[in-house]
Coordinates of all heavy atoms in Angstrom, one line a residue:
M1 N -37.0 3.2 0.2 CA -36.4 2.5 1.3 C -35.5 3.4 2.1 O -34.7 4.2 1.5 CB -35.6 1.3 0.8 CG -34.8 0.6 1.8 SD -33.7 -0.7 1.3 CE -34.7 -2.1 1.7
I2 N -35.6 3.3 3.4 CA -34.8 4.1 4.3 C -33.6 3.2 4.6 O -33.7 2.1 5.1 CB -35.5 4.4 5.6 CG1 -36.8 5.3 5.3 CG2 -34.6 5.1 6.6 CD1 -36.5 6.6 4.6
H3 N -32.4 3.8 4.4 CA -31.1 3.0 4.6 C -30.4 3.4 5.9 O -29.7 2.6 6.5 CB -30.1 3.3 3.4 CG -30.7 2.9 2.1 ND1 -31.3 3.7 1.2 CD2 -30.7 1.6 1.5 CE1 -31.7 3.0 0.2 NE2 -31.3 1.8 0.3
C4 N -30.6 4.7 6.3 CA -30.0 5.1 7.6 C -30.9 6.2 8.2 O -31.7 6.8 7.5 CB -28.6 5.6 7.3 SG -28.4 6.9 6.0
V5 N -30.7 6.5 9.5 CA -31.5 7.3 10.3 C -30.7 8.3 11.1 O -29.7 7.9 11.7 CB -32.4 6.5 11.2 CG1 -33.3 7.4 12.1 CG2 -33.3 5.6 10.4
L6 N -31.1 9.6 11.1 CA -30.6 10.5 12.1 C -31.7 11.2 12.7 O -32.8 11.3 12.2 CB -29.6 11.5 11.4 CG -30.0 12.3 10.2 CD1 -29.2 13.6 10.1 CD2 -29.9 11.5 8.9
H7 N -31.5 11.8 13.9 CA -32.6 12.4 14.6 C -32.8 13.9 14.2 O -33.9 14.4 14.0 CB -32.4 12.3 16.1 CG -32.9 11.0 16.6 ND1 -33.9 10.8 17.5 CD2 -32.4 9.7 16.4 CE1 -34.1 9.6 17.8 NE2 -33.2 8.9 17.1
E8 N -31.7 14.6 14.2 CA -31.8 16.1 14.0 C -30.9 16.5 12.8 O -29.9 15.9 12.5 CB -31.2 16.8 15.3 CG -32.0 16.4 16.5 CD -31.5 17.1 17.8 OE1 -30.5 18.0 17.6 OE2 -32.0 16.8 18.8
E9 N -31.3 17.6 12.2 CA -30.5 18.1 11.1 C -29.0 18.4 11.5 O -28.1 18.3 10.7 CB -31.1 19.3 10.5 CG -30.5 19.8 9.2 CD -31.2 20.8 8.5 OE1 -32.4 21.2 8.8 OE2 -30.7 21.4 7.5
K10 N -28.8 18.8 12.8 CA -27.5 19.1 13.2 C -26.6 17.9 13.4 O -25.4 18.0 13.6 CB -27.5 20.0 14.5 CG -27.9 19.2 15.7 CD -27.9 20.1 16.9 CE -28.2 19.3 18.2 NZ -28.0 20.1 19.4
D11 N -27.2 16.7 13.4 CA -26.4 15.4 13.5 C -25.4 15.4 12.4 O -25.7 15.7 11.3 CB -27.3 14.2 13.5 CG -28.1 14.0 14.8 OD1 -27.8 14.7 15.8 OD2 -29.0 13.2 14.8
S12 N -24.2 14.9 12.7 CA -23.2 14.7 11.7 C -23.0 13.3 11.2 O -22.3 13.1 10.2 CB -21.8 15.3 12.2 OG -21.5 14.8 13.5
V13 N -23.7 12.4 11.9 CA -23.7 11.0 11.4 C -25.1 10.4 11.5 O -25.9 10.9 12.3 CB -22.7 10.1 12.2 CG1 -21.3 10.5 12.1 CG2 -23.1 10.1 13.7
A14 N -25.4 9.4 10.7 CA -26.6 8.6 10.7 C -26.3 7.2 10.9 O -25.1 6.7 10.7 CB -27.4 8.8 9.4
V15 N -27.2 6.4 11.4 CA -27.0 5.0 11.7 C -27.6 4.2 10.6 O -28.8 4.4 10.2 CB -27.6 4.6 13.1 CG1 -27.5 3.1 13.3 CG2 -26.9 5.4 14.2
V16 N -26.8 3.3 10.0 CA -27.3 2.4 8.9 C -28.3 1.4 9.5 O -28.0 0.7 10.5 CB -26.1 1.7 8.2 CG1 -26.6 0.7 7.2 CG2 -25.2 2.8 7.5
V17 N -29.4 1.2 8.9 CA -30.5 0.3 9.5 C -30.8 -0.8 8.5 O -31.8 -1.6 8.8 CB -31.8 1.1 9.8 CG1 -31.5 2.1 10.9 CG2 -32.3 1.9 8.6
V18 N -30.0 -1.0 7.5 CA -30.2 -2.2 6.6 C -28.9 -2.8 6.3 O -27.8 -2.2 6.5 CB -30.9 -1.8 5.2 CG1 -32.3 -1.2 5.4 CG2 -30.0 -0.8 4.5
E19 N -28.9 -4.1 6.0 CA -27.7 -4.8 5.6 C -27.3 -4.6 4.2 O -28.2 -4.3 3.3 CB -27.9 -6.3 5.9 CG -28.0 -6.6 7.4 CD -28.1 -8.1 7.7 OE1 -27.9 -8.9 6.8 OE2 -28.4 -8.4 8.8
G20 N -26.0 -4.8 3.9 CA -25.6 -4.8 2.5 C -25.2 -3.5 1.9 O -25.2 -3.4 0.6
I21 N -25.0 -2.4 2.6 CA -24.6 -1.1 2.0 C -23.2 -1.3 1.4 O -22.3 -1.7 2.1 CB -24.6 0.0 3.1 CG1 -26.0 0.2 3.6 CG2 -24.1 1.3 2.4 CD1 -27.1 0.6 2.6
Q22 N -23.1 -1.0 0.1 CA -21.9 -1.1 -0.6 C -21.4 0.2 -1.1 O -22.1 1.2 -1.2 CB -22.1 -2.0 -1.8 CG -22.5 -3.4 -1.5 CD -21.5 -4.1 -0.6 OE1 -20.3 -4.1 -0.9 NE2 -21.9 -4.8 0.5
A23 N -20.0 0.3 -1.3 CA -19.4 1.5 -1.8 C -20.1 2.0 -3.1 O -20.4 1.1 -4.0 CB -17.9 1.3 -2.0
G24 N -20.4 3.2 -3.2 CA -21.1 3.8 -4.4 C -22.6 3.8 -4.4 O -23.2 4.3 -5.3
Q25 N -23.1 3.1 -3.4 CA -24.6 3.0 -3.3 C -25.2 4.3 -2.8 O -24.7 4.9 -1.9 CB -25.0 1.9 -2.3 CG -26.4 1.6 -2.2 CD -26.7 0.4 -1.3 OE1 -25.9 -0.4 -1.0 NE2 -28.0 0.4 -0.8
D26 N -26.3 4.7 -3.4 CA -27.1 5.9 -2.9 C -27.9 5.4 -1.8 O -28.6 4.3 -1.9 CB -28.0 6.4 -4.0 CG -27.2 7.3 -5.1 OD1 -26.1 7.8 -4.7 OD2 -27.6 7.3 -6.2
M27 N -27.9 6.1 -0.7 CA -28.7 5.8 0.5 C -29.7 6.9 0.8 O -29.4 8.1 0.6 CB -27.8 5.6 1.7 CG -26.8 4.5 1.6 SD -25.8 4.4 3.1 CE -25.0 6.0 3.2
T28 N -30.9 6.5 1.2 CA -31.9 7.5 1.7 C -31.7 7.5 3.2 O -31.9 6.5 3.9 CB -33.3 7.0 1.3 OG1 -33.3 7.0 -0.1 CG2 -34.3 8.0 1.8
A29 N -31.5 8.7 3.7 CA -31.4 9.0 5.1 C -32.6 9.7 5.6 O -33.0 10.7 5.1 CB -30.1 9.8 5.4
L30 N -33.3 9.2 6.7 CA -34.5 9.8 7.2 C -34.0 10.7 8.4 O -33.4 10.2 9.3 CB -35.4 8.8 7.7 CG -36.7 9.2 8.5 CD1 -37.5 10.1 7.6 CD2 -37.4 8.1 9.0
I31 N -34.4 12.0 8.4 CA -34.2 12.9 9.5 C -35.5 12.9 10.3 O -36.5 13.4 9.9 CB -33.9 14.3 9.0 CG1 -32.6 14.3 8.1 CG2 -33.6 15.2 10.2 CD1 -32.3 15.6 7.5
L32 N -35.5 12.2 11.4 CA -36.7 12.0 12.2 C -37.4 13.2 12.7 O -38.6 13.3 12.6 CB -36.4 11.1 13.4 CG -36.0 9.6 13.1 CD1 -35.5 8.9 14.3 CD2 -37.1 8.9 12.4
D33 N -36.7 14.2 13.2 CA -37.3 15.4 13.8 C -38.0 16.2 12.7 O -39.0 16.9 13.0 CB -36.3 16.3 14.5 CG -35.8 15.7 15.8 OD1 -36.4 14.7 16.2 OD2 -35.0 16.3 16.5
D34 N -37.6 16.1 11.4 CA -38.2 16.9 10.4 C -39.1 16.1 9.5 O -39.7 16.6 8.6 CB -37.1 17.6 9.5 CG -36.2 18.6 10.2 OD1 -36.7 19.0 11.3 OD2 -35.1 18.8 9.7
D35 N -39.0 14.8 9.7 CA -39.8 13.8 8.8 C -39.5 14.1 7.4 O -40.4 14.2 6.6 CB -41.3 13.8 9.2 CG -42.0 12.7 8.5 OD1 -41.4 11.6 8.4 OD2 -43.2 12.8 8.2
R36 N -38.2 14.2 7.0 CA -37.8 14.4 5.6 C -36.6 13.5 5.4 O -36.0 13.0 6.3 CB -37.6 15.8 5.3 CG -36.4 16.4 6.0 CD -36.2 17.9 5.6 NE -35.1 18.5 6.3 CZ -33.9 18.6 5.8 NH1 -33.6 18.1 4.7 NH2 -32.9 19.1 6.6
T37 N -36.3 13.4 4.1 CA -35.1 12.5 3.7 C -34.1 13.3 3.0 O -34.4 14.4 2.4 CB -35.6 11.3 2.9 OG1 -36.2 11.8 1.7 CG2 -36.5 10.4 3.7
I38 N -32.9 12.8 3.0 CA -31.8 13.3 2.2 C -31.1 12.1 1.5 O -31.3 11.0 2.0 CB -30.8 14.1 3.0 CG1 -30.2 13.3 4.2 CG2 -31.4 15.4 3.5 CD1 -29.0 14.0 4.9
T39 N -30.4 12.3 0.5 CA -29.7 11.2 -0.2 C -28.2 11.4 0.0 O -27.6 12.5 -0.1 CB -30.0 11.2 -1.7 OG1 -31.4 11.1 -1.9 CG2 -29.3 10.1 -2.4
I40 N -27.5 10.3 0.4 CA -26.1 10.2 0.6 C -25.5 9.1 -0.2 O -26.1 8.0 -0.2 CB -25.8 9.9 2.1 CG1 -26.4 11.0 3.0 CG2 -24.3 9.9 2.4 CD1 -26.5 10.5 4.4
K41 N -24.4 9.3 -0.8 CA -23.7 8.2 -1.5 C -22.6 7.6 -0.6 O -21.8 8.3 -0.1 CB -23.0 8.7 -2.8 CG -22.4 7.5 -3.6 CD -21.8 8.0 -4.9 CE -22.8 8.5 -5.9 NZ -23.7 7.5 -6.5
A42 N -22.7 6.3 -0.4 CA -21.7 5.6 0.5 C -20.4 5.5 -0.2 O -20.3 5.1 -1.4 CB -22.2 4.2 0.8
N43 N -19.3 5.9 0.5 CA -18.0 5.8 0.0 C -17.3 4.5 0.2 O -16.2 4.2 -0.3 CB -17.1 7.0 0.6 CG -17.7 8.3 0.2 OD1 -18.2 8.5 -0.9 ND2 -17.5 9.3 1.0
A44 N -17.9 3.7 1.1 CA -17.4 2.4 1.5 C -18.5 1.5 1.9 O -19.7 2.0 2.1 CB -16.4 2.5 2.6
A45 N -18.3 0.2 2.0 CA -19.3 -0.7 2.6 C -19.5 -0.3 4.0 O -18.5 -0.1 4.7 CB -18.8 -2.2 2.4
I46 N -20.7 -0.3 4.5 CA -21.0 0.1 5.9 C -21.9 -0.9 6.5 O -23.0 -1.1 6.0 CB -21.6 1.5 6.0 CG1 -20.7 2.5 5.3 CG2 -21.8 1.9 7.4 CD1 -21.3 3.9 5.1
P47 N -21.5 -1.6 7.5 CA -22.3 -2.6 8.2 C -23.6 -2.0 8.9 O -23.5 -0.9 9.3 CB -21.4 -3.3 9.2 CG -20.0 -2.8 8.9 CD -20.2 -1.5 8.1
I48 N -24.6 -2.8 9.0 CA -25.8 -2.4 9.7 C -25.4 -2.0 11.1 O -24.5 -2.7 11.7 CB -26.9 -3.5 9.7 CG1 -28.2 -3.0 10.2 CG2 -26.4 -4.8 10.4 CD1 -29.4 -4.0 10.0
G49 N -26.0 -1.0 11.7 CA -25.7 -0.5 13.0 C -24.5 0.4 13.1 O -24.3 1.0 14.2
H50 N -23.8 0.6 12.0 CA -22.6 1.5 12.1 C -23.0 2.8 11.6 O -24.1 3.0 11.0 CB -21.5 0.9 11.2 CG -20.7 -0.2 11.8 ND1 -19.4 -0.2 12.0 CD2 -21.2 -1.4 12.4 CE1 -19.0 -1.3 12.6 NE2 -20.1 -2.0 12.8
K51 N -22.2 3.8 11.7 CA -22.5 5.2 11.4 C -21.9 5.6 10.0 O -20.9 5.1 9.6 CB -21.8 6.1 12.4 CG -22.4 5.9 13.8 CD -21.7 6.8 14.9 CE -20.3 6.4 15.1 NZ -20.1 5.0 15.6
V52 N -22.6 6.4 9.3 CA -22.2 7.0 8.1 C -22.3 8.5 8.2 O -23.2 9.1 8.8 CB -23.1 6.6 6.9 CG1 -24.5 7.0 7.1 CG2 -22.5 7.1 5.6
A53 N -21.2 9.2 7.7 CA -21.2 10.7 7.8 C -22.2 11.3 6.9 O -22.3 11.0 5.7 CB -19.8 11.2 7.5
V54 N -22.9 12.3 7.4 CA -23.9 13.1 6.6 C -23.3 14.5 6.4 O -24.0 15.3 5.7 CB -25.3 13.1 7.2 CG1 -25.9 11.7 7.2 CG2 -25.3 13.7 8.6
K55 N -22.2 14.8 6.9 CA -21.5 16.1 6.8 C -20.0 15.8 6.7 O -19.5 14.9 7.3 CB -21.8 17.0 8.0 CG -23.2 17.3 8.2 CD -23.5 18.2 9.4 CE -25.0 18.5 9.5 NZ -25.3 19.4 10.6
D56 N -19.3 16.7 6.0 CA -17.8 16.7 6.0 C -17.4 17.1 7.4 O -17.9 18.1 8.0 CB -17.2 17.6 5.0 CG -17.5 17.1 3.6 OD1 -17.5 15.9 3.4 OD2 -17.5 18.0 2.7
M57 N -16.4 16.4 8.0 CA -15.8 16.8 9.3 C -14.3 16.8 9.3 O -13.7 15.9 8.6 CB -16.3 15.8 10.3 CG -17.8 15.8 10.6 SD -18.4 14.5 11.7 CE -18.7 13.2 10.5
A58 N -13.7 17.7 9.9 CA -12.3 17.8 10.0 C -11.8 17.3 11.4 O -12.6 17.2 12.4 CB -11.8 19.3 9.9
A59 N -10.5 16.9 11.5 CA -10.0 16.5 12.8 C -10.2 17.6 13.8 O -10.1 18.8 13.6 CB -8.5 16.3 12.6
G60 N -10.7 17.1 15.0 CA -11.0 18.0 16.1 C -12.5 18.4 16.2 O -13.0 18.9 17.2
D61 N -13.3 18.2 15.1 CA -14.7 18.5 15.1 C -15.4 17.5 16.1 O -15.0 16.4 16.3 CB -15.3 18.3 13.7 CG -15.0 19.4 12.7 OD1 -14.3 20.4 13.2 OD2 -15.3 19.3 11.5
T62 N -16.5 18.0 16.6 CA -17.4 17.2 17.4 C -18.4 16.4 16.6 O -18.9 16.9 15.6 CB -18.2 18.1 18.4 OG1 -17.3 18.7 19.3 CG2 -19.2 17.3 19.2
V63 N -18.5 15.1 16.9 CA -19.5 14.3 16.2 C -20.8 14.2 16.9 O -20.8 13.9 18.1 CB -18.9 12.8 16.0 CG1 -19.9 11.9 15.3 CG2 -17.5 12.9 15.4
M64 N -21.9 14.5 16.2 CA -23.2 14.5 16.8 C -24.0 13.4 16.3 O -24.1 13.2 15.1 CB -23.9 15.9 16.5 CG -23.2 17.1 17.0 SD -23.1 17.2 18.8 CE -24.8 17.4 19.3
K65 N -24.6 12.6 17.2 CA -25.5 11.5 16.9 C -26.7 11.5 17.8 O -26.5 11.6 19.0 CB -24.7 10.2 17.0 CG -25.6 8.9 16.8 CD -24.7 7.7 17.1 CE -25.5 6.5 17.3 NZ -24.7 5.3 17.8
Y66 N -27.9 11.5 17.2 CA -29.1 11.6 18.0 C -29.2 12.8 18.8 O -29.7 12.8 19.9 CB -29.3 10.3 18.9 CG -29.4 9.0 18.1 CD1 -29.0 7.9 18.8 CD2 -29.8 8.9 16.8 CE1 -29.0 6.6 18.1 CE2 -29.9 7.7 16.2 CZ -29.5 6.6 16.8 OH -29.6 5.4 16.1
G67 N -28.6 13.9 18.3 CA -28.6 15.2 19.0 C -27.6 15.3 20.2 O -27.6 16.2 21.0
T68 N -26.7 14.3 20.3 CA -25.8 14.2 21.4 C -24.3 14.1 20.9 O -24.0 13.5 19.9 CB -26.1 12.9 22.2 OG1 -27.4 13.0 22.7 CG2 -25.1 12.8 23.4
D69 N -23.4 14.8 21.6 CA -22.0 14.8 21.4 C -21.5 13.3 21.7 O -21.6 12.9 22.8 CB -21.3 15.8 22.2 CG -19.8 15.8 22.2 OD1 -19.2 14.9 21.7 OD2 -19.2 16.8 22.6
I70 N -21.0 12.6 20.7 CA -20.5 11.3 20.9 C -19.0 11.1 20.8 O -18.4 10.1 21.0 CB -21.1 10.2 20.0 CG1 -20.8 10.5 18.5 CG2 -22.6 10.2 20.2 CD1 -21.0 9.3 17.6
G71 N -18.3 12.2 20.5 CA -16.8 12.2 20.4 C -16.3 13.2 19.5 O -17.0 14.1 19.1
K72 N -15.0 13.0 19.2 CA -14.3 14.0 18.3 C -13.7 13.2 17.1 O -13.3 12.0 17.2 CB -13.2 14.7 19.0 CG -12.1 13.9 19.5 CD -11.0 14.7 20.2 CE -9.9 13.8 20.7 NZ -8.9 14.5 21.5
V73 N -13.6 13.9 16.0 CA -13.0 13.4 14.8 C -11.5 13.4 15.0 O -10.9 14.4 15.4 CB -13.4 14.3 13.6 CG1 -12.7 13.8 12.3 CG2 -14.9 14.3 13.4
V74 N -10.8 12.3 14.6 CA -9.4 12.2 14.7 C -8.7 12.0 13.4 O -7.5 12.1 13.2 CB -8.9 11.0 15.7 CG1 -9.3 11.3 17.1 CG2 -9.4 9.7 15.2
A75 N -9.5 11.8 12.3 CA -9.0 11.8 10.9 C -10.2 12.4 10.1 O -11.3 12.1 10.4 CB -8.7 10.4 10.5
P76 N -9.9 13.2 9.1 CA -10.9 13.8 8.3 C -12.0 12.7 7.8 O -11.6 11.6 7.4 CB -10.2 14.4 7.1 CG -8.8 14.6 7.6 CD -8.5 13.5 8.5
I77 N -13.2 13.2 7.8 CA -14.3 12.3 7.4 C -15.2 13.1 6.3 O -15.5 14.2 6.6 CB -15.2 11.9 8.6 CG1 -14.4 11.3 9.7 CG2 -16.4 11.0 8.1 CD1 -15.2 11.1 11.0
A78 N -15.4 12.4 5.2 CA -16.2 13.1 4.2 C -17.6 12.5 4.2 O -17.9 11.4 4.7 CB -15.6 12.8 2.8
I79 N -18.6 13.3 3.7 CA -19.9 12.8 3.5 C -19.9 11.4 2.8 O -19.3 11.3 1.8 CB -20.8 13.8 2.7 CG1 -20.9 15.1 3.4 CG2 -22.2 13.2 2.4 CD1 -21.6 16.2 2.6
G80 N -20.6 10.5 3.5 CA -20.7 9.1 2.9 C -19.6 8.1 3.4 O -19.7 7.0 3.1
D81 N -18.7 8.7 4.2 CA -17.6 7.8 4.8 C -18.2 7.0 6.0 O -19.1 7.4 6.7 CB -16.4 8.6 5.3 CG -15.5 9.1 4.3 OD1 -15.7 8.7 3.1 OD2 -14.6 9.8 4.6
H82 N -17.6 5.8 6.2 CA -17.9 5.0 7.3 C -17.3 5.7 8.5 O -16.1 6.0 8.6 CB -17.2 3.6 7.2 CG -17.5 2.6 8.2 ND1 -16.8 1.5 8.4 CD2 -18.4 2.6 9.2 CE1 -17.3 0.8 9.4 NE2 -18.3 1.5 9.9
A83 N -18.1 6.1 9.5 CA -17.6 6.8 10.7 C -17.6 5.8 11.9 O -18.6 5.3 12.3 CB -18.6 7.9 11.0
H84 N -16.4 5.5 12.3 CA -16.2 4.4 13.3 C -15.0 4.7 14.1 O -14.4 5.8 14.1 CB -16.2 3.1 12.6 CG -16.5 1.9 13.5 ND1 -17.6 1.8 14.3 CD2 -15.8 0.8 13.7 CE1 -17.6 0.7 15.0 NE2 -16.5 0.0 14.6
V85 N -14.4 3.7 14.8 CA -13.3 3.9 15.8 C -12.0 4.3 15.0 O -11.1 4.8 15.7 CB -13.1 2.7 16.6 CG1 -14.3 2.4 17.5 CG2 -12.7 1.5 15.8
H86 N -11.9 4.2 13.8 CA -10.7 4.5 13.0 C -10.7 6.1 12.8 O -9.6 6.6 12.5 CB -10.6 3.8 11.7 CG -11.7 4.0 10.8 ND1 -13.0 3.5 10.9 CD2 -11.7 4.8 9.6 CE1 -13.7 3.9 9.9 NE2 -13.0 4.7 9.1
N87 N -11.8 6.8 12.9 CA -11.8 8.2 12.7 C -12.6 9.0 13.7 O -12.6 10.2 13.6 CB -12.3 8.5 11.2 CG -13.6 7.9 10.9 OD1 -14.4 7.5 11.7 ND2 -13.8 7.7 9.6
I88 N -13.1 8.3 14.7 CA -13.8 9.0 15.9 C -13.3 8.4 17.2 O -13.2 7.2 17.3 CB -15.3 8.8 15.8 CG1 -15.9 9.4 14.5 CG2 -16.0 9.4 17.0 CD1 -17.3 9.1 14.2
K89 N -13.0 9.3 18.1 CA -12.6 8.8 19.5 C -13.5 9.5 20.5 O -13.9 10.7 20.3 CB -11.2 9.1 19.8 CG -10.2 8.5 18.8 CD -10.2 7.0 19.0 CE -9.2 6.3 18.0 NZ -9.4 5.0 17.7
T90 N -13.7 8.9 21.6 CA -14.4 9.5 22.7 C -13.6 10.7 23.3 O -12.4 10.7 23.2 CB -14.7 8.5 23.9 OG1 -15.4 9.1 24.9 CG2 -13.4 7.9 24.4
K91 N -14.3 11.6 23.9 CA -13.6 12.7 24.6 C -13.4 12.4 26.0 O -12.8 13.2 26.7 CB -14.5 14.0 24.5 CG -14.7 14.5 23.1 CD -15.6 15.7 23.1 CE -15.8 16.3 21.7 NZ -16.7 17.5 21.7
R92 N -13.8 11.3 26.5 CA -13.7 10.9 27.9 C -12.3 10.6 28.3 O -11.9 10.8 29.5 CB -14.6 9.8 28.2 CG -16.1 10.1 28.1 CD -17.0 9.0 28.5 NE -18.4 9.4 28.2 CZ -19.4 8.6 28.2 NH1 -19.2 7.3 28.5 NH2 -20.6 9.0 28.0
W93 N -11.5 10.0 27.4 CA -10.1 9.7 27.8 C -9.3 9.7 26.5 O -9.6 9.7 25.5 CB -10.0 8.4 28.5 CG -10.6 7.2 27.8 CD1 -10.2 6.5 26.8 CD2 -11.9 6.7 28.1 NE1 -11.1 5.5 26.5 CE2 -12.2 5.6 27.3 CE3 -12.9 7.0 29.1 CZ2 -13.3 4.9 27.3 CZ3 -14.1 6.3 29.1 CH2 -14.3 5.2 28.2

């Protein structure tokens, strides 16, 4: 079962595509451009449509989703963390 999807290996987050992801759950992430999967352990419950980190990121790092810069990290994010407005902000303002 595919639990989350990212487009490129350089993406730092994947989008959860199933409901019910719980802390400690192993997730299968599909990398679309390579047609391969990786496994990530969720560190928290993550709602469908939200992002999960597939790489460790430090404050100030750029967040990549679908091959596009979507913002900057404002609090450290570990692989498997819920990546959302509490730890990512837009660069626009």
Side-chain angles (χ1 to χ4, degrees):
M1 169 184 261
I2 302 300
H3 299 96
C4 53
V5 175
L6 56 154
H7 278 244
E8 302 178 5
E9 187 171 353
K10 74 177 184 176
D11 287 348
S12 46
V13 295
V15 176
V16 173
V17 295
V18 296
E19 293 185 7
I21 299 297
Q22 298 300 313
Q25 181 176 344
D26 285 331
M27 297 183 297
T28 300
L30 174 63
I31 304 172
L32 293 172
D33 285 357
D34 297 341
D35 193 28
R36 67 182 177 91
T37 60
I38 58 174
T39 302
I40 304 163
K41 185 177 291 292
N43 296 331
I46 305 171
I48 189 171
H50 284 235
K51 297 174 293 299
V52 60
V54 297
K55 298 179 180 180
D56 291 329
M57 294 174 273
D61 286 353
T62 294
V63 180
M64 299 297 290
K65 175 183 163 189
Y66 300 152
T68 301
D69 176 343
I70 64 162
K72 67 179 176 181
V73 175
V74 296
I77 305 171
I79 295 171
D81 282 354
H82 184 194
H84 199 52
V85 297
H86 63 284
N87 51 23
I88 300 173
K89 299 293 181 201
T90 182
K91 293 179 179 177
R92 293 182 185 169
W93 52 81

